């Protein structure tokens, strides 16, 4: 995490709006891993001017790729994406393999006071986590951001959603919470589970009746990616479905303006 504990904007004006982006980065490669496009992805992410960026499948380290691809960054992928635009970042390592590891990350223009990565893996080779960050946002005691990437198996997802709900219930009742990421919930059963919590709403469902179609990026059919809010309202939710986004990952990103 990049954060200076002395950097608290005591005199900064209260923040009541923030731009949120979520994207599965596909480890910096195009669909089917045909081309390494992380530098192009960074420019696209920067162009959104998002205050918070929720990343899934972002690489922390990969020794073989670092020697194979000339444009592979010398830092982690999430640090490379943060660049000079997002002062703070946090990373939750989920999948570990001989060459390195990948997981979820959050890029933030506000100080990240603390963070933890909750292992919600069930059984088998799939490693999944919930990256929970507590943000210092002027005008608010605390704002919580949870970056999510759930299992491909329905039974595992339901158990992971129970763990997510337990986390939510442990947070202060009046604190704003932003939950975003790849839920892999193509049958919408997970969305039905979360919809029973009347304190939550999904941004695209609230405005358009159903969660957004985000996968596969070039011809989206499945509603896998979500942005849920508690103690906050959603405005102008957008699927970033034009070029260059359709060529930068196998998922389309989602963006929304959140009012606190």
């Amino acid at each position: 995490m990049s954060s200076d504990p002395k950097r608290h904007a005591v005199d900064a004006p209260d923040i009541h709006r923030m731009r949120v982006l979520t994207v599965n980065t596909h480890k910096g490669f195009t669909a089917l891993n045909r081309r390494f496009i992380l530098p192009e992805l960074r420019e696209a992410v920067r162009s959104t001017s998002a205050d918070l960026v929720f990343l899934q499948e972002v690489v922390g380290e990969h020794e073989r790729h670092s020697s194979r691809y000339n444009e592979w960054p010398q830092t982690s992928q999430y640090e490379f994406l943060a660049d000079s635009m997002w002062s703070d970042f946090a990373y939750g390592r989920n999948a570990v393999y001989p060459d390195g590891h990948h997981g979820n990350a959050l890029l933030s223009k506000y100080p990240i006071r603390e963070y933890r990565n909750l292992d919600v893996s069930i059984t088998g080779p799939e490693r999944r986590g919930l990256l929970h960050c507590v943000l210092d946002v002027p005008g608010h005691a605390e704002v919580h951001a949870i970056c999510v990437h759930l299992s491909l198996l329905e039974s595992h997802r339901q158990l992971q959603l129970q763990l997510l709900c337990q986390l939510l219930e442990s947070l202060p009742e009046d604190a704003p919470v932003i939950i975003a990421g790849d839920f892999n919930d193509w049958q919408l059963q997970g969305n039905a589970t979360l919809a029973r919590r009347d304190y939550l709403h999904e941004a695209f469902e609230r405005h358009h009746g159903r969660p957004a179609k985000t996968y596969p990026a070039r011809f989206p059919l499945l509603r896998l990616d979500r942005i849920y809010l508690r103690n906050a309202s959603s405005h102008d939710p957008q699927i970033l479905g034009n070029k260059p986004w359709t060529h930068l990952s196998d998922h389309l990103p989602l963006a929304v303006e959140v009012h606190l």
Side-chain angles (χ1 to χ4, degrees):
M1 177 177 67
S2 174
S3 185
D4 181 354
K6 298 178 181 179
R7 181 168 51 82
H8 293 280
V10 176
D11 299 323
D14 291 354
I15 299 297
H16 297 294
R17 299 182 181 187
M18 58 175 61
R19 181 84 169 161
V20 170
L21 177 75
T22 181
V23 57
N24 183 317
T25 69
H26 201 237
K27 307 182 187 73
F29 290 86
T30 58
L32 305 180
N33 298 321
R34 289 175 176 169
R35 193 163 61 90
F36 179 65
I37 43 74
L38 192 68
E40 297 167 54
L41 180 63
R42 180 171 70 173
E43 292 309 306
V45 170
R46 287 173 64 89
S47 73
T48 68
S49 300
D51 299 296
L52 298 178
V53 182
F54 294 72
L55 304 171
Q56 306 88 50
E57 287 193 29
V58 61
V59 175
E61 179 182 351
H62 200 296
E63 292 183 7
R64 181 163 52 88
H65 285 348
S66 64
S67 59
R68 180 178 179 184
Y69 296 98
N70 293 332
E71 293 186 294
W72 193 269
Q74 295 182 350
T75 62
S76 64
Q77 286 190 355
Y78 55 89
E79 290 176 273
F80 178 79
L81 290 169
D83 193 29
S84 59
M85 192 163 181
W86 291 273
S87 58
D88 283 49
F89 45 80
Y91 171 66
R93 182 174 64 180
N94 294 333
V96 181
Y97 29 83
D99 284 316
H101 49 83
H102 71 263
N104 298 335
L106 181 78
L107 313 182
S108 174
K109 291 184 178 178
Y110 307 104
I112 297 176
R113 183 190 305 171
E114 60 185 85
Y115 76 96
R116 54 179 173 158
N117 193 48
L118 303 177
D119 185 356
V120 294
S121 308
I122 307 302
T123 57
E126 269 196 322
R127 312 311 300 170
R128 302 294 185 182
L130 303 176
L131 178 63
H132 172 214
C133 301
V134 184
L135 311 178
D136 272 333
V137 179
H140 306 274
E142 55 190 48
V143 174
H144 295 261
I146 304 171
C147 189
V148 173
H149 191 188
L150 300 187
S151 173
L152 296 170
L153 297 176
E154 181 66 49
S155 59
H156 288 192
R157 285 197 299 276
Q158 289 296 330
L159 293 171
Q160 289 161 350
L161 287 170
Q162 290 179 27
L163 295 172
L164 173 61
C165 290
Q166 289 175 19
L167 170 59
L168 287 171
E169 290 162 7
S170 74
L171 304 180
E173 289 185 1
D174 59 347
V177 184
I178 305 167
I179 309 162
D182 177 0
F183 283 72
N184 273 318
D185 181 32
W186 60 278
Q187 293 179 309
L188 302 182
Q189 292 186 31
N191 188 59
T193 297
L194 293 177
R196 290 195 287 271
R197 271 70 182 181
D198 56 7
Y199 51 76
L200 278 180
H201 81 269
E202 202 283 322
F204 290 81
E205 186 172 44
R206 169 69 57 88
H207 292 267
H208 303 298
R210 301 192 76 181
K213 291 182 179 180
T214 57
Y215 183 89
R218 296 199 186 190
F219 190 68
L221 298 171
L222 302 181
R223 307 172 192 273
L224 301 188
D225 300 87
R226 311 278 167 77
I227 300 174
Y228 292 93
L229 302 174
R230 190 184 86 174
N231 295 326
S233 59
S234 55
H235 301 265
D236 191 27
Q238 297 178 356
I239 306 168
L240 304 185
N242 299 321
K243 288 184 179 181
W245 296 109
T246 51
H247 293 68
L248 295 181
S249 174
D250 55 347
H251 288 244
L252 292 177
L254 300 179
V256 69
E257 185 176 277
V258 174
H259 292 195
L260 303 177

